[in-house]
Coordinates of all heavy atoms in Angstrom, one line a residue:
M1 N 0.8 -1.2 0.0 CA 0.0 0.0 0.0 C 0.9 1.3 0.0 O 1.9 1.3 0.7 CB -0.9 0.0 1.2 CG -1.9 1.2 1.3 SD -2.9 1.2 2.8 CE -3.9 -0.2 2.5
K2 N 0.5 2.2 -0.8 CA 1.2 3.5 -0.9 C 0.8 4.4 0.2 O -0.2 4.1 0.9 CB 1.0 4.2 -2.2 CG 1.6 3.4 -3.4 CD 1.3 4.1 -4.7 CE 1.9 3.4 -5.9 NZ 1.7 4.1 -7.2
H3 N 1.6 5.5 0.4 CA 1.3 6.3 1.6 C 1.2 7.8 1.1 O 2.0 8.3 0.3 CB 2.5 6.2 2.6 CG 2.3 6.9 3.8 ND1 2.8 8.2 4.0 CD2 1.8 6.5 5.0 CE1 2.5 8.6 5.3 NE2 1.9 7.6 5.9
I4 N 0.2 8.5 1.7 CA 0.0 9.9 1.5 C 0.3 10.6 2.8 O -0.3 10.2 3.8 CB -1.4 10.3 1.0 CG1 -1.6 9.8 -0.4 CG2 -1.6 11.8 1.0 CD1 -3.0 10.0 -0.9
T5 N 1.1 11.6 2.8 CA 1.4 12.4 3.9 C 0.8 13.8 3.7 O 1.2 14.5 2.8 CB 2.9 12.6 4.2 OG1 3.5 11.3 4.4 CG2 3.1 13.4 5.5
F28 N -9.5 11.5 -1.1 CA -8.7 10.2 -1.3 C -9.4 9.1 -0.6 O -9.3 7.9 -1.0 CB -7.3 10.4 -0.8 CG -6.4 11.1 -1.8 CD1 -6.0 12.4 -1.7 CD2 -5.9 10.3 -2.9 CE1 -5.2 13.0 -2.7 CE2 -5.1 10.9 -3.8 CZ -4.7 12.2 -3.7
A29 N -10.1 9.3 0.5 CA -10.9 8.3 1.2 C -12.0 7.8 0.2 O -12.3 6.6 0.2 CB -11.4 8.8 2.5
A31 N -11.9 7.8 -3.0 CA -11.2 7.0 -4.1 C -10.9 5.7 -3.5 O -11.1 4.6 -4.2 CB -9.9 7.8 -4.5
N32 N -10.4 5.6 -2.3 CA -10.1 4.3 -1.7 C -11.3 3.4 -1.6 O -11.3 2.2 -1.9 CB -9.5 4.5 -0.3 CG -7.9 4.6 -0.4 OD1 -7.3 4.2 -1.3 ND2 -7.4 5.1 0.7
W35 N -12.4 1.9 -4.9 CA -11.6 0.8 -5.3 C -12.0 -0.5 -4.5 O -12.1 -1.6 -5.0 CB -10.1 1.1 -5.0 CG -9.5 1.7 -6.3 CD1 -10.0 2.6 -7.1 CD2 -8.2 1.3 -6.9 NE1 -9.2 2.9 -8.1 CE2 -8.1 2.1 -8.0 CE3 -7.2 0.4 -6.5 CZ2 -7.0 2.0 -8.9 CZ3 -6.1 0.4 -7.3 CH2 -6.0 1.1 -8.5
K41 N -7.9 -3.6 -3.6 CA -7.5 -3.1 -2.3 C -7.3 -1.6 -2.3 O -7.1 -1.0 -3.3 CB -6.1 -3.8 -2.0 CG -6.2 -5.3 -1.8 CD -4.8 -5.9 -1.4 CE -4.9 -7.4 -1.2 NZ -3.6 -7.9 -0.9
E42 N -7.4 -1.0 -1.1 CA -7.1 0.4 -0.9 C -5.7 0.7 -1.5 O -4.8 0.0 -1.2 CB -7.2 0.8 0.5 CG -8.6 0.8 1.1 CD -8.7 1.3 2.5 OE1 -7.6 1.5 3.1 OE2 -9.8 1.5 3.0
L43 N -5.7 1.8 -2.2 CA -4.4 2.2 -2.8 C -3.5 2.9 -1.9 O -2.3 2.8 -1.9 CB -4.6 3.0 -4.1 CG -3.4 3.3 -4.9 CD1 -2.7 2.1 -5.4 CD2 -3.8 4.2 -6.1
F44 N -4.1 3.8 -1.0 CA -3.3 4.7 -0.2 C -3.7 4.6 1.3 O -4.8 4.4 1.6 CB -3.5 6.1 -0.6 CG -2.6 6.6 -1.7 CD1 -3.2 6.8 -3.0 CD2 -1.3 6.8 -1.6 CE1 -2.5 7.3 -4.1 CE2 -0.5 7.3 -2.7 CZ -1.1 7.5 -3.9
R45 N -2.7 4.7 2.1 CA -2.9 4.9 3.5 C -2.7 6.4 3.7 O -1.7 7.0 3.3 CB -1.9 4.2 4.4 CG -2.1 4.4 5.9 CD -1.4 3.3 6.7 NE 0.0 3.2 6.4 CZ 1.0 3.8 7.1 NH1 0.6 4.6 8.2 NH2 2.2 3.6 6.8
I46 N -3.6 7.1 4.3 CA -3.6 8.6 4.4 C -3.3 9.0 5.9 O -4.0 8.6 6.8 CB -5.0 9.1 4.0 CG1 -5.4 8.6 2.6 CG2 -5.0 10.7 3.9 CD1 -6.9 8.7 2.3
E47 N -2.3 9.8 6.0 CA -2.0 10.3 7.4 C -1.6 11.8 7.3 O -1.0 12.3 6.4 CB -0.7 9.5 7.9 CG -1.0 8.1 8.4 CD 0.2 7.5 9.1 OE1 1.3 7.6 8.5 OE2 0.0 7.0 10.2
T76 N 7.4 8.0 2.2 CA 6.1 8.3 1.7 C 6.1 8.4 0.2 O 7.2 8.6 -0.4 CB 5.5 9.6 2.4 OG1 4.1 9.7 2.1 CG2 6.2 10.8 1.9
N77 N 4.9 8.3 -0.4 CA 4.8 8.4 -1.8 C 4.3 9.7 -2.4 O 4.7 10.2 -3.4 CB 3.9 7.3 -2.4 CG 4.4 5.9 -2.0 OD1 3.9 5.3 -1.0 ND2 5.3 5.4 -2.7
L78 N 3.4 10.4 -1.6 CA 2.9 11.7 -2.0 C 2.8 12.6 -0.8 O 2.2 12.2 0.2 CB 1.5 11.5 -2.7 CG 0.8 12.7 -3.1 CD1 1.5 13.5 -4.1 CD2 -0.6 12.4 -3.6
L180 N -5.0 14.5 -9.1 CA -4.1 13.5 -8.5 C -4.8 12.1 -8.4 O -4.1 11.1 -8.6 CB -3.8 14.0 -7.1 CG -2.9 15.2 -7.0 CD1 -2.7 15.7 -5.6 CD2 -1.5 14.9 -7.7
V181 N -6.1 12.1 -8.2 CA -6.8 10.8 -8.2 C -6.7 10.2 -9.5 O -6.4 9.0 -9.6 CB -8.3 11.0 -7.8 CG1 -9.1 9.7 -8.1 CG2 -8.4 11.4 -6.3
K183 N -4.4 10.6 -11.7 CA -3.0 10.3 -11.9 C -2.6 9.0 -11.2 O -1.9 8.2 -11.7 CB -2.1 11.4 -11.4 CG -0.7 11.5 -11.8 CD -0.5 12.3 -13.1 CE 0.9 12.4 -13.5 NZ 1.1 13.2 -14.7
Y184 N -3.1 8.8 -10.0 CA -2.7 7.7 -9.2 C -3.6 6.5 -9.3 O -3.2 5.4 -9.1 CB -2.6 8.1 -7.7 CG -1.3 8.8 -7.4 CD1 -1.2 10.2 -7.4 CD2 -0.1 8.1 -7.1 CE1 0.0 10.9 -7.1 CE2 1.1 8.8 -6.8 CZ 1.1 10.2 -6.8 OH 2.3 10.8 -6.5
Y185 N -4.9 6.8 -9.5 CA -5.9 5.7 -9.6 C -6.1 5.5 -11.1 O -5.4 4.8 -11.8 CB -7.1 6.0 -8.8 CG -7.0 6.1 -7.3 CD1 -6.4 7.2 -6.7 CD2 -7.4 5.0 -6.5 CE1 -6.3 7.3 -5.3 CE2 -7.3 5.1 -5.1 CZ -6.7 6.2 -4.5 OH -6.6 6.3 -3.2

Side-chain angles (χ1 to χ4, degrees):
M1 184 182 293
K2 294 181 178 181
H3 185 270
I4 291 179
T5 302
F28 277 103
N32 270 343
W35 268 44
K41 293 182 179 180
E42 291 184 350
L43 185 60
F44 278 107
R45 180 161 59 93
I46 308 160
E47 284 187 314
T76 190
N77 301 98
L78 175 62
L180 292 172
V181 168
K183 196 93 174 178
Y184 280 95
Y185 294 79

